[in-house]
Every structure is written in structure tokens, then in C-alpha cells.
Amino acid sequence: LKLERVFSRLKRLLAADLDGRGVTLSTSVEPAALEVDADPELLDQALINLIRNAIEALRDTAEGKIALVASRDFDGRATIQVIDNGPGIPPDQREKVFVPFFTTKRQGSGIGLTLARQIMTVHGGMIVLSETAGGGTTVTLKF
């Protein structure tokens, strides 16, 4: 599954959501031919959930930005990161957000990150939340 294609499709699918909130989505795939062995629909579902979470997190942020970055980690494993410049998730809540029906949003079901984690588990991968340098949240999918 070529990640450049996945990212292009997601940009098209989410264009209205992003434009409606004034959020910029940038993408980067390095190396350009990077691929993952994943179910396209499940990967799309996980990334759509993560991007929508980021859009929601940016609701009170002027010049909200989301970066979708695919690369290889030090072990050569493919990773996809969803990086935002929002308020971030407090460290004490980073594990709780994976609990079904726990949500920090005004309106939310609390299943998006749970579903994303399950999708990564099915693919033999993992999902990690961390703080973005300068503020915000980085969600990393490791394949």
C-alpha cells in the first residue's frame, strides 16, 4: 500500500472538514515510495479518526496545522505520524484516551483511538501518543 496514495486520498476526503475549520494539512512521505502492508480500508479508518481528532483539538487554535508524515524509524519499520499544533493531551490522560468511551471532546464517542489501536494490533503494530515539540500532540503508528 503506497502511502503517498493513501495521503492524497485522505486529503481529498477530508478537504471540506479541514477547510471548514481553517486547518492546514501537510503531507510528507520519505522515502517517496514507502509502502506498508495493511488493509487499505482499516488504515484509512484509523487515519481519518486521528485526523478528525486533531481537527477537533485545533478548534480554539489560530492557524491550526496538521502534518501527516510517513518515514522509517531507526529499526527500519514504517511509521505514520499525525502531528498537530493544538493544546496537547495532558500526560495523565495519554493512556486513558485509549479506553473505550473515554473522551476529552465536547462531542465524541470515545472510540476513535480505541479503534485505531485495535487496527494497529491487527497489523502487528502499535500506536504511541507523545507531545509535539512546541505544543500539540503527535500520534505515531508503528508497523
Side-chain angles (χ1 to χ4, degrees):
L1 194 58
K2 281 195 175 294
L3 291 176
E4 273 197 337
R5 281 198 197 121
V6 172
F7 287 7
S8 295
R9 188 171 60 244
L10 291 174
K11 266 184 135 167
R12 281 195 309 276
L13 280 171
L14 294 166
D17 292 9
L18 291 159
D19 294 345
R21 295 286 188 103
V23 173
T24 311
L25 175 65
S26 63
T27 60
S28 163
V29 180
E30 190 58 46
L34 187 62
E35 296 186 25
V36 294
D37 184 18
D39 179 290
E41 289 175 14
L42 288 177
L43 182 59
D44 279 1
Q45 192 59 58
L47 291 171
I48 287 167
N49 280 331
L50 296 175
I51 294 166
R52 285 198 169 134
N53 282 352
I55 292 169
E56 180 68 21
L58 292 165
R59 70 180 171 262
D60 299 325
T61 304
E63 295 183 36
K65 292 180 177 60
I66 300 170
L68 206 46
V69 179
S71 60
R72 292 204 179 279
D73 67 11
F74 298 116
D75 300 326
R77 294 185 356 191
T79 66
I80 300 174
Q81 292 184 303
V82 180
I83 305 164
D84 71 56
N85 65 337
I89 299 170
D92 64 322
Q93 290 189 357
R94 282 191 200 135
E95 205 41 48
K96 287 183 193 160
V97 295
F98 290 107
V99 174
F101 311 115
F102 176 87
T103 184
T104 59
K105 298 192 241 175
R106 289 182 198 143
Q107 296 170 320
S109 63
I111 59 169
L113 282 167
T114 306
L115 183 63
R117 176 178 265 181
Q118 287 173 336
I119 289 169
M120 288 309 295
T121 302
V122 165
H123 288 93
M126 60 190 292
I127 184 170
V128 180
L129 277 177
S130 57
E131 204 172 322
T132 303
T137 301
T138 298
V139 181
T140 305
L141 305 180
K142 297 182 180 206
F143 288 87

